[in-house]
Amino acid sequence: FFLAGVLGMASFGIAANTSWSFFLDRDNGIFYEMLTYPVSRAEYLVGKVLFNIGVALAQTAVTLVLAAGLLGVPVRWDLAPLTAAAMIVGTAGWFFFYAIFALLIRRNDVFNTVTSIFYFVFLFASSMFYPLEPLPPVFRAVSYANPITWQVDILRYSTTGLGDPAMLPLEAVGFMLFTAASFGAALLVIRQQS
């Protein structure tokens, strides 16, 4: 059950930590220099997220091999492409989401406070650590509205076959919409920086 939570937390954490690079880029002037290059703002954001995706996929492969080899977790290798897709879209979605705040906020300590709050709210109000069925209805509703629940549920199904296959298409579409909205908002904010 926890394997998908580990992968979701990795995707979420990689994105949060690497979105912080906008502060470094602003401090040393690289950010503003990049905005003068003949690269569109969308290409700039996608370029930054490609590194995150590479790290997330490498971490996913290591985690799955170790989970299966050392812990005997019955990994669904036949669904590995779905796992990879969930990590790609998930990491991109969370990076674009955090990029919005990294681009809007000027102080590093404020950004760290915001990301810490998001981190705990998103993680603990999700299906990452525990099943949602025994929770009271209000907590279950909050968890089902949480995008990390959608990603973790897809990862849980694609890695171990657990979960409700009927809900997966809805959660997948919801997460893709979240990723697209986050990308659009990050793009709007980065265009305002120019």
Side-chain angles (χ1 to χ4, degrees), residues 72-116:
V73 175
V75 173
R76 295 282 311 264
W77 297 109
D78 58 314
L79 295 176
L82 180 59
T83 302
M87 289 302 289
I88 290 168
V89 175
T91 302
W94 291 117
F95 176 78
F96 296 139
F97 176 78
Y98 277 116
I100 297 165
F101 300 98
L103 291 165
L104 284 174
I105 297 170
R106 295 292 178 212
R107 289 184 40 199
N108 195 3
D109 59 335
V110 174
F111 177 72
N112 287 332
T113 301
V114 168
T115 57
S116 295

Side-chain angles (χ1 to χ4, degrees), residues 49 51 78 93 107 123 150 166 179:
V49 83
F51 172 76
D78 58 314
R107 289 184 40 199
L123 266 55
W150 309 336
T179 299

Side-chain angles (χ1 to χ4, degrees), residues 98 125 132 141-142:
Y98 277 116
L132 300 180
V142 168

Side-chain angles (χ1 to χ4, degrees), residues 6-74:
V6 169
L7 295 175
M9 195 170 10
S11 175
F12 192 79
I14 289 166
N17 290 332
T18 56
S19 66
W20 177 77
S21 71
F22 283 114
F23 284 95
L24 294 176
D25 291 352
R26 263 199 306 252
D27 286 348
N28 63 25
I30 296 291
F31 175 76
Y32 298 106
E33 183 178 333
M34 289 295 294
L35 295 180
T36 66
Y37 293 168
V39 175
S40 74
R41 303 306 185 250
E43 291 168 340
Y44 179 53
L45 282 172
V46 170
K48 285 194 80 73
V49 83
L50 289 177
F51 172 76
N52 296 351
I53 289 170
V55 170
L57 289 175
Q59 185 169 352
T60 300
V62 169
T63 302
L64 291 177
V65 166
L66 291 176
L70 291 179
L71 302 175
V73 175

